[in-house]
């Protein structure tokens, strides 16, 4: 068994640990955020962690209408800009918590008067220690280059912050059910997708709203573990320029959570199929585990997707734990 597969199936236990370890801190943060009422949220992250930040963005903007943006760390670390977000919220998401550019943005946000929160797998890292509020992801060490369980816990952490901020009992209760649902998602297989992706030269991965984050994460994993050229787009965005590349048998993976965006996603799937594309639809012709709240639906989906992607890598004769040009911790300036 590859490390990627072994670590991915540890995600349900990691989520349960995060929720138990951070229960009090989440409740306290909820009180702080309701008192602060931040007018804007910025996130600082790279790679898979930035995809988790994208999920957080949609949850915050959908649930509360507060603008949330991923700020390029280089505006501080390279260009020396001064942040101006007093009374704002700045959330750092990272596995290692050591990258200099991420740390520079976090420090600049804190200096400007923002409340800083660290969601970091290494509780002893600078990104966690320097934050006003540190919530360890509790995913335990990840040895495969491909992040899996730490990403899933980051999604749960994002949803937990929103639930605490809103004091939303329904969302909080649904989050508590995720470990069991993730365990069920580990047992689902997508054999048709695996065979098609293993033979593909190019691939589109689509999502909308909260599912866009896992579309981006899936495309990244297809690149780094399988060497498949995969690009992620929103369901709306693909109907513009990218649609021109779609032809007979062009492979696509579409994630569609059961919310108000589903009807539009289904219409897009129908149009793509009419063009001759080979569409795999998670929530349609691909089985998924439904979460207890529509905002959480992407989380069990990516659990299943990770294990399918690991199979794709194996079929292509690649070691998903050791990409040719990548390393586990990348520290950028």
């Amino acid at each position: 068994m590859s490390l990627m597969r072994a670590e991915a199936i540890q995600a349900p236990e990691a989520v349960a640990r995060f929720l138990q370890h951070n229960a009090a801190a989440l409740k306290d943060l909820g009180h702080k955020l309701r008192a602060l009422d931040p007018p804007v949220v910025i996130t600082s992250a790279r790679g898979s962690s930035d995809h988790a930040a994208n999920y957080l963005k949609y949850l915050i903007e959908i649930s509360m209408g507060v603008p949330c943006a991923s700020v390029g760390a280089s505006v501080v670390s390279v260009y020396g800009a001064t942040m101006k977000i007093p009374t704002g919220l700045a959330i750092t998401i990272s596995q290692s918590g050591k990258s200099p550019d991420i740390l520079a943005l976090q420090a600049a946000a804190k200096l400007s008067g923002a409340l800083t929160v660290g969601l970091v797998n290494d509780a002893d890292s600078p990104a966690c220690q320097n934050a006003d509020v540190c919530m360890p992801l509790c995913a335990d060490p990840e040895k495969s280059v491909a992040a899996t369980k730490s990403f899933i816990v980051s999604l749960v952490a994002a949803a937990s912050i929103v639930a605490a901020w809103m004091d939303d009992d329904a969302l909080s209760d649904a989050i508590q059910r995720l470990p069991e649902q993730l365990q069920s998602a580990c047992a689902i297989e997508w054999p048709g997708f695996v065979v098609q992706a293993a033979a593909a030269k190019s691939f589109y991965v689509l999502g909308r709203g909260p599912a866009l984050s896992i579309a981006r994460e899936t495309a990244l994993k297809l690149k780094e573990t399988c060497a498949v050229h995969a690009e992620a787009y929103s369901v709306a965005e693909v109907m513009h320029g990218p649609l021109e590349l779609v032809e007979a048998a062009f492979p696509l993976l579409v994630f569609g959570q059961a919310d108000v965006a589903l009807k539009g996603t289904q219409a897009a799937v129908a149009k793509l199929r009419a063009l001759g594309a080979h569409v795999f639809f998670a929530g349609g012709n691909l089985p998924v585990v439904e979460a207890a709240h529509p905002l959480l639906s992407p989380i069990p989906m990516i659990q299943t997707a990770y294990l399918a992607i690991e199979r794709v890598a194996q079929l292509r004769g690649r070691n998903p734990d050791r990409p040719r040009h990548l390393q586990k911790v990348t520290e950028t300036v």
Side-chain angles (χ1 to χ4, degrees):
M1 182 183 293
S2 69
L3 288 172
M4 179 183 177
R5 175 165 289 271
E7 290 169 354
I9 62 179
Q10 293 168 9
E13 294 179 1
V15 167
R17 282 196 304 273
F18 170 84
L19 293 174
Q20 181 178 20
H21 181 86
N22 293 288
L26 283 164
K27 185 176 182 179
D28 183 61
L29 179 60
H31 288 304
K32 282 186 170 71
L33 292 175
R34 289 193 295 276
L36 180 64
D37 192 22
V40 65
V41 180
I42 71 164
T43 59
S44 176
R46 294 283 191 191
S48 293
S49 295
D50 197 39
H51 300 158
N54 179 259
Y55 175 71
L56 175 65
K57 166 191 170 68
Y58 274 101
L59 266 58
I60 289 175
E61 293 179 348
I62 289 170
S63 302
M64 290 173 287
V66 177
C68 180
S70 175
V71 174
S74 65
V75 302
V76 173
S77 64
V78 175
Y79 294 97
T82 300
M83 291 288 98
K84 298 178 181 179
I85 47 172
T87 73
L89 172 63
I91 300 179
T92 300
I93 307 176
S94 176
Q95 294 176 57
S96 70
K98 298 175 182 178
S99 190
D101 52 352
I102 299 299
L103 294 173
L105 180 55
Q106 181 189 55
K110 188 172 185 176
L111 184 63
S112 79
L115 175 68
T116 58
V117 176
L119 303 177
V120 188
N121 201 31
D122 184 353
D124 295 324
S125 67
C128 211
Q129 293 295 315
N130 296 341
D132 295 316
V133 178
C134 174
M135 291 189 194
L137 295 179
C138 304
D140 286 345
E142 236 176 4
K143 297 181 180 179
S144 176
V145 169
T148 52
K149 59 180 178 176
S150 63
F151 175 76
I152 290 174
V153 178
S154 296
L155 297 181
V156 175
S160 298
I161 288 174
V162 173
W165 187 351
M166 296 179 63
D167 199 17
D168 186 330
D169 289 338
L171 182 56
S172 295
D173 290 345
I175 290 170
Q176 294 298 322
R177 297 175 61 182
L178 281 171
E180 180 181 354
Q181 292 164 345
L182 289 168
Q183 196 66 56
S184 297
C186 287
I188 293 178
E189 296 184 353
W190 294 346
F193 163 76
V194 169
V195 171
Q196 185 74 30
K201 293 182 178 179
S202 292
F203 218 100
Y204 280 173
V205 189
L206 311 181
R208 195 165 198 186
L212 180 58
S213 63
I214 63 167
R216 290 177 173 174
E217 175 66 6
T218 298
L220 175 63
K221 288 297 183 287
L222 285 169
K223 291 172 185 167
E224 70 179 356
T225 67
C226 308
V228 172
H229 177 229
E231 298 297 337
Y233 296 100
S234 77
V235 170
E237 185 181 12
V238 78
M239 292 303 167
H240 296 273
L243 191 65
E244 184 62 22
L245 295 181
V246 176
E247 55 189 10
F250 190 95
L252 297 98
L253 173 60
V254 181
F255 293 102
Q257 70 271 0
D259 64 9
V260 293
L262 183 59
K263 186 176 180 180
T265 299
Q266 291 170 332
V269 167
K271 181 173 182 177
L272 291 163
R273 285 176 173 157
L275 293 174
H278 196 160
V279 182
F280 295 96
F281 187 12
N285 63 343
L286 292 181
V288 298
V289 172
E290 290 292 346
H293 193 293
L295 291 177
L296 305 178
S297 293
I299 302 178
M301 288 182 186
I302 193 62
Q303 176 76 79
T304 300
Y306 275 150
L307 298 175
I309 292 166
E310 191 269 351
R311 293 295 189 211
V312 174
Q314 300 284 10
L315 273 181
R316 289 174 67 89
R318 297 182 60 87
N319 181 351
D321 301 327
R322 297 287 181 268
R324 294 173 300 174
H325 309 308
L326 305 175
Q327 55 189 359
K328 183 61 181 173
V329 176
T330 303
E331 296 184 6
T332 49
V333 177

